[in-house]
Amino acid sequence: MPDAYKIEGMIDLDFCSADELLLRRRSLRRELSAVDGLQELRIAVLGGSTTDQIVTTLEIFLLAAGFQPVFHQSEYGRYYDDAVYDPQTLIDFRPNLVYIHTSCRNVRNLPPLNCTESQLPGYVETELNRFKEIWDSLDARVGCQVIQNNFEMPPHAILGNMDAVAAGGENRFLMELNVAFAREATRRPRLLLQDVHGISAKVGLRNWFDWTLFFNFKLLLQPAANLELARSLNAMIQAIYGKSRKVLVLDLDNTLWGGTIGDDGVDKILIGRETPQAEAYTAFQEYCLSLRNRGILLAICSKNDEDIAKAGFSHPDSILKLEHISCFKANWEPKHENIALIAKELNLGVDSFVFVDDNPAERAIVQAQIPGVAVPDIGNDVTHYAEVIQAARYFEPASLSREDRERAALYASNLQRADQAATFNNYGEYLDSLDMSAEIDSFKPVYLERIAQLTNKTNQFNLTSRRYTLAEMEVAMRDRNTIALYGKLSDRFGDNGLISIVLGRRDGDTVHIDLWLMSCRVLKRSMETAMLDALAERALGMGVKVVRGNYLPTAKNSMVADHYSRLGFQPCPQPSLPEGATAWQLNLTGYVRKNSHIRVLEYTHV
């Protein structure tokens, strides 16, 4: 991320109030806009009410996240018309993302009070179809990611409690419609659903609508509601572009359990169900484990003797066990130094870390010494730890792939591979001992979501660091002049999943590599040579004689600066490249396969 962290007096956007943000909005916008390295992001907002306030709030969050947002807003209430009847303005704007901002007031097909159970599905389907027309039109004509909110409950329950039960109740109808929206989102890769129903429940409907503003200016929501919507949207957009956090780094004493294990011993630490405080620590461990089970890595950073620290996980009531921890650092070194070591061992940037410690001094030191690490002010009351972490939406997913759910297990397998490597003197023998097999093939629809996700997440092994949307990947898959390859890798320790992508564009007798990336968890396994072999065979089958590729340096991808030279490419200077970039080419005449350690199971021969 850019150096927004260095802005003097920068407020904590994760936890600031609406009043605080509104007061400083102009100065924050000016200061954040001046930060170097912002990524342009074009967002079209189609509103059922006036969207100015949510846009201006969202802009601050996106600037702080490293984006330079450019907005287009529809006129009041024209969310349907601009998408279905008159989409040319949207097409000309070329958005990366369309956000459809609607509320329960925009629902048009409410059932009558005397609606029957058999009639209710028809009303739901009619309203759903109206939105399906919007999504279908955007998909066909604009072709970008769409975020659509579901619906908050109405301000008035005309039937009282029966409003949630009766087929003619508005609450009941909106709940049914929200379920229909959710089902539709699972069928549409380009459609993401913002849970306005959940957000409004947390904020409270009394703090949600502002009827004075609405009837005077068509501004429906209170500032606090707009703030929470903006936080939610920011988290979703960061997830789309691979900027969600991936690692939860945890202190131990008075964070994962009550008491000091070095003084109190395993038997005396507070964990379990016997006391209210012990149960609160158990609940926080359960929360951490639930994050781990959906793919967030857990790491330990504690000032302690390692053996004593590890003993805490042997407590019979401990929910977390040592096998749940991807990296364990317990010693007497400064915590910021240990966090840097954790980042190195996991091969992840510190901007993917969240550090949780009950000690405010330790939090302050880490925040000062490692810009980029998220350090929530959790206080020292364990009953609020999960609430504070969750409120900041650090770990927002855009999707849940198999690789996401199994990420912690994949990193655990990597530790086994590292231990195995230490038993071999010859690295080639070690690679052979892994019994690796790869599937390398052209893009397939079933993998497109993971391919787009990997494109936007991978930073270190990425030769150009270009980002592609799902729609762009779909175009590449269908283009006969594009070589679009994915690679999956397995070995005797487990399946690493889809971990590499190469995207090449044919121009005459040359293929230009626009994208070459790989997950860092399979570094130094020779997967890059297997991908090159597949690329070369595809290129030769198309009559191509030369493959060219550029290395465009970023703050994170220096590890692949010599990638092309290691694969036998020769320099071919191009004056038009930016400073520090290099250009390379490989003559395919007489090409000899380079991979000797991976058994390639399948790829389509041309």
Side-chain angles (χ1 to χ4, degrees):
M1 291 186 185
D3 291 336
Y5 304 97
K6 297 181 180 179
I7 293 177
E8 186 175 352
M10 179 70 182
I11 64 174
D12 190 342
L13 292 175
D14 293 326
F15 303 103
C16 69
S17 68
D19 289 343
E20 188 178 9
L21 183 59
L22 288 172
L23 185 65
R24 294 200 50 196
R25 184 180 61 80
R26 285 193 176 87
S27 62
L28 285 171
R29 184 183 186 279
R30 182 175 61 253
E31 292 164 350
L32 289 167
S33 297
V35 173
D36 293 331
L38 298 176
Q39 175 185 350
E40 184 179 276
L41 183 64
R42 304 178 69 81
I43 303 174
V45 181
L46 307 184
S49 57
T50 302
T51 56
D52 289 350
Q53 287 192 358
I54 191 169
V55 165
T56 55
T57 306
L58 177 61
E59 181 182 33
I60 301 301
F61 282 96
L62 292 177
L63 286 168
F67 295 103
Q68 179 65 69
V70 179
F71 290 101
H72 162 79
Q73 297 183 69
S74 70
E75 297 294 331
Y76 165 74
R78 287 187 56 85
Y79 64 97
Y80 181 91
D81 306 74
D82 284 3
V84 178
Y85 293 140
D86 188 18
Q88 192 58 49
T89 302
L90 275 179
I91 295 169
D92 294 341
F93 178 65
R94 295 177 294 106
N96 305 110
L97 176 71
V98 174
Y99 172 49
I100 305 170
H101 175 61
T102 50
S103 76
C104 61
R105 281 190 59 88
N106 300 121
V107 173
R108 292 287 177 262
N109 295 284
L110 289 172
L113 289 177
N114 63 353
C115 178
T116 65
E117 286 292 331
S118 62
Q119 293 171 333
L120 178 58
Y123 286 97
V124 173
E125 188 68 20
T126 299
E127 187 65 22
L128 175 64
N129 286 339
R130 195 165 68 90
F131 281 89
K132 286 169 70 173
E133 289 175 3
I134 296 173
W135 305 330
D136 288 341
S137 179
L138 292 174
D139 196 41
R141 303 178 188 182
V142 182
C144 68
Q145 194 77 53
V146 174
I147 296 178
Q148 165 75 61
N149 58 255
N150 61 13
F151 298 101
E152 69 277 271
M153 291 298 99
H156 310 296
I158 300 301
L159 298 178
N161 287 300
M162 284 295 295
D163 214 79
V165 178
E170 188 173 355
N171 278 11
R172 167 78 185 278
F173 176 79
L174 290 173
M175 287 190 288
E176 299 276 359
L177 184 61
N178 284 347
V179 171
F181 270 37
R183 288 176 177 151
E184 196 66 28
T186 64
R187 303 186 189 106
R188 297 173 179 258
R190 291 183 187 172
L191 178 65
L192 292 178
L193 203 60
Q194 184 188 30
D195 185 20
V196 164
H197 174 69
I199 297 168
S200 62
K202 290 183 177 69
V203 173
L205 290 183
R206 289 181 179 176
N207 302 312
W208 192 256
F209 300 110
D210 190 321
W211 298 112
T212 301
L213 278 176
F214 178 73
F215 291 120
N216 282 282
F217 307 108
K218 301 307 178 188
L219 294 166
L220 181 62
L221 303 180
Q222 295 187 36
N226 283 315
L227 175 62
E228 291 309 314
L229 285 180
R231 281 197 176 114
S232 164
L233 280 172
N234 174 57
M236 295 180 75
I237 292 169
Q238 289 200 56
I240 292 169
Y241 286 90
K243 294 189 176 188
S244 292
R245 307 278 173 166
K246 302 177 180 69
V247 185
L248 181 61
V249 183
L250 296 155
D251 176 45
L252 294 178
D253 295 335
N254 296 309
T255 300
L256 279 187
W257 52 65
T260 303
I261 193 167
D263 296 335
D264 302 329
V266 176
D267 296 339
K268 298 293 180 63
I269 60 174
L270 294 174
I271 194 77
R273 312 284 181 185
E274 302 305 317
T275 69
Q277 193 174 12
E279 191 169 7
Y281 283 105
T282 296
F284 181 57
Q285 286 202 14
E286 289 172 337
Y287 171 75
C288 295
L289 182 59
S290 68
L291 287 175
R292 194 257 186 196
N293 288 342
R294 53 140 288 201
I296 302 304
L297 304 182
L298 302 183
I300 297 299
C301 183
S302 173
K303 285 187 176 176
N304 234 314
D305 291 324
E306 183 171 327
D307 291 342
I308 293 173
K310 287 183 174 180
F313 293 89
S314 67
H315 191 290
D317 290 327
S318 181
I319 301 297
L320 290 176
K321 304 298 182 184
L322 285 175
E323 60 262 29
H324 298 140
I325 309 303
S326 297
C327 194
F328 199 107
K329 296 293 179 188
N331 51 47
W332 300 100
E333 300 303 318
K335 289 194 175 183
H336 66 275
E337 294 181 6
N338 278 324
I339 290 174
L341 291 174
I342 292 171
K344 185 176 181 181
E345 289 186 20
L346 295 179
N347 224 337
L348 292 169
V350 293
D351 57 359
S352 65
F353 282 37
V354 177
F355 174 60
V356 172
D357 193 315
D358 70 295
N359 188 325
E362 296 288 3
R363 296 198 299 264
I365 292 170
V366 168
Q367 195 162 36
Q369 295 298 318
I370 314 184
V373 175
V375 186
D377 185 5
I378 62 166
N380 56 13
D381 183 349
V382 65
T383 62
H384 297 304
Y385 291 174
E387 176 188 352
V388 172
I389 296 168
Q390 198 66 26
R393 298 180 176 271
Y394 296 122
F395 303 113
E396 182 85 18
S399 61
L400 277 177
S401 64
R402 182 178 68 86
E403 285 83 359
D404 289 324
R405 294 190 296 271
E406 297 178 359
R407 183 178 294 115
L410 293 172
Y411 275 85
S413 298
N414 265 356
L415 293 178
Q416 291 180 284
R417 295 182 185 98
D419 291 341
Q420 178 77 2
T423 66
F424 288 87
N425 293 322
N426 181 291
Y427 193 69
E429 290 180 4
Y430 160 66
L431 291 179
D432 290 336
S433 77
L434 291 177
D435 190 24
M436 292 182 288
S437 60
E439 175 189 323
I440 303 174
D441 206 347
S442 298
F443 285 6
K444 297 176 181 177
V446 69
Y447 294 139
L448 277 184
E449 190 171 332
R450 168 60 180 167
I451 288 168
Q453 181 189 63
L454 187 62
T455 302
N456 286 295
K457 281 187 174 182
T458 303
N459 292 307
Q460 292 176 284
F461 197 115
N462 191 331
L463 275 296
T464 57
S465 292
R466 293 191 178 115
R467 306 302 186 190
Y468 290 78
T469 64
L470 181 63
E472 290 168 333
M473 286 302 186
E474 288 177 337
V475 171
M477 180 178 68
R478 300 189 187 101
D479 189 345
R480 295 177 61 86
N481 286 315
T482 296
I483 300 175
L485 299 174
Y486 71 86
K488 301 176 69 179
L489 183 67
S490 299
D491 59 37
R492 65 189 183 90
F493 291 106
D495 184 358
N496 292 281
L498 196 155
I499 44 78
S500 188
I501 299 166
V502 175
L503 200 61
R505 172 178 40 85
R506 180 186 178 183
D507 183 7
D509 64 356
T510 302
V511 162
H512 299 271
I513 299 174
D514 290 330
L515 182 70
W516 191 330
L517 60 84
M518 189 169 71
S519 171
C520 291
R521 66 172 180 263
V522 294
L523 287 176
K524 299 183 179 179
R525 306 262 203 89
S526 78
M527 185 63 180
E528 56 269 39
T529 61
M531 294 297 290
L532 178 60
D533 287 348
L535 173 65
E537 182 162 345
R538 296 299 178 88
L540 287 166
M542 297 169 72
V544 166
K545 299 177 180 179
V546 175
V547 175
R548 289 184 176 173
N550 296 336
Y551 164 67
L552 304 179
T554 69
K556 295 183 178 181
N557 72 350
S558 60
M559 66 182 299
V560 291
D562 62 347
H563 170 76
Y564 284 120
S565 63
R566 285 189 287 104
L567 291 178
F569 284 65
Q570 299 299 314
C572 57
Q574 294 181 16
S576 60
L577 289 177
E579 184 178 354
T582 54
W584 305 83
Q585 69 177 31
L586 179 68
N587 192 326
L588 294 180
T589 303
Y591 180 84
V592 177
R593 286 179 174 272
K594 300 180 183 298
N595 163 48
S596 59
H597 299 291
I598 299 174
R599 184 173 67 260
V600 178
L601 298 178
E602 177 185 352
Y603 60 83
T604 304
H605 298 266
V606 177

